[in-house]
Amino acid sequence: MKKILYLTLVSAALVLLNTSCGGPKKMSATEDSQEVILPLSGKEFQSDKEFYRAKASGKSPDIATAKKIALNNAKAEIAGLISSKIKTVTDNYTNQRSVADAQDFESKFETMTREVVNQQLVDVAIIGEKLIKKGSTYDYWIGIEVSKKAILEGINNSISKNQKLAIDYDKKKFEEIYNAEMEKMEAQQ
């Protein structure tokens, strides 16, 4: 008897739960969704074979602070992009050439590249700006670019000053690999 009462109560509870929830509901894919178009998102703000480009935003109640935050964020993004590409080029370069101590060469080369990038980021070109006010907060968007040629020239100049790196450095071969990577990057976009 207890079993029948127990099974009846469990069955009733399940029926109540299923009907009170109304069963499965279908949601529309567009319900409460909206496409957002980011500022500075055109092709002219993407890296190509001539320039590294980045865009970023900064928020603050003060316009100057918002701009400073956006510029620092964009510089960090472009520095990461350059470092990543240079790392790929360096790996390809050391794999294609017989470098005496490849690991030492790569380490010193990456350190030198970071210094070159930091020097080049001082003179970035601003290619776009947009200011959006939301209540009492400013949302500042900025797009910047750095010439790939300037980065390569900086690397070449730095290597020519470092005798140990200069021994294992074939400028023509490095430029060939560097330019091939820049072509690949543009083709991906």
Side-chain angles (χ1 to χ4, degrees):
M1 185 76 144
K2 285 185 180 182
K3 274 188 179 180
I4 294 174
L5 182 60
Y6 177 73
L7 287 174
T8 306
L9 287 173
V10 169
S11 298
L14 287 174
V15 169
L16 284 174
L17 277 174
N18 192 25
T19 57
S20 68
C21 293
K25 295 180 182 177
K26 293 182 181 179
M27 286 190 67
S28 165
T30 59
E31 189 176 304
D32 291 337
S33 61
Q34 181 179 8
E35 181 181 5
V36 175
I37 299 172
L38 293 175
L40 312 178
S41 60
K43 188 161 178 70
E44 66 273 18
F45 298 103
Q46 295 177 356
S47 296
D48 58 27
K49 64 182 178 183
E50 301 295 322
F51 294 96
Y52 291 105
R53 294 188 179 107
K55 63 183 174 295
S57 69
K59 294 181 183 182
S60 175
D62 176 57
I63 296 173
T65 304
K67 182 177 181 176
K68 189 182 289 186
I69 293 168
L71 185 58
N72 286 338
N73 290 344
K75 283 181 176 183
E77 184 176 326
I78 210 166
L81 175 63
I82 294 169
S83 294
S84 172
K85 282 297 166 191
I86 296 297
K87 173 81 172 121
T88 301
V89 171
T90 306
D91 289 348
N92 290 342
Y93 177 78
T94 54
N95 288 337
Q96 291 181 20
R97 293 196 29 86
S98 56
V99 175
D101 185 358
Q103 212 169 18
D104 186 47
F105 178 84
E106 286 182 21
S107 174
K108 288 180 179 177
F109 196 86
E110 287 174 27
T111 301
M112 184 263 322
T113 301
R114 270 193 298 278
E115 292 169 6
V116 169
V117 169
N118 288 339
Q119 290 169 2
Q120 293 297 323
L121 290 181
V122 171
D123 296 322
V124 295
I126 295 174
I127 57 172
E129 297 174 281
K130 189 165 237 168
L131 182 62
I132 302 166
K133 186 173 182 180
K134 296 178 186 173
S136 63
T137 303
Y138 293 97
D139 191 3
Y140 198 97
W141 285 81
I142 194 164
I144 60 172
E145 71 181 9
V146 174
S147 166
K148 291 180 181 176
K149 186 177 180 183
I151 297 291
L152 185 57
E153 286 172 0
I155 290 170
N156 287 335
N157 291 338
S158 290
I159 287 178
S160 67
K161 295 174 186 172
N162 185 323
Q163 289 179 343
K164 187 160 172 61
L165 285 176
I167 291 170
D168 289 320
Y169 184 66
D170 178 348
K171 180 180 174 183
K172 186 176 179 182
K173 185 67 174 173
F174 185 83
E175 285 182 15
E176 181 183 302
I177 295 169
Y178 180 82
N179 290 330
E181 279 300 314
M182 298 312 109
E183 294 286 336
K184 281 186 201 174
M185 186 169 81
E186 184 171 25
Q188 289 174 349
Q189 295 178 357

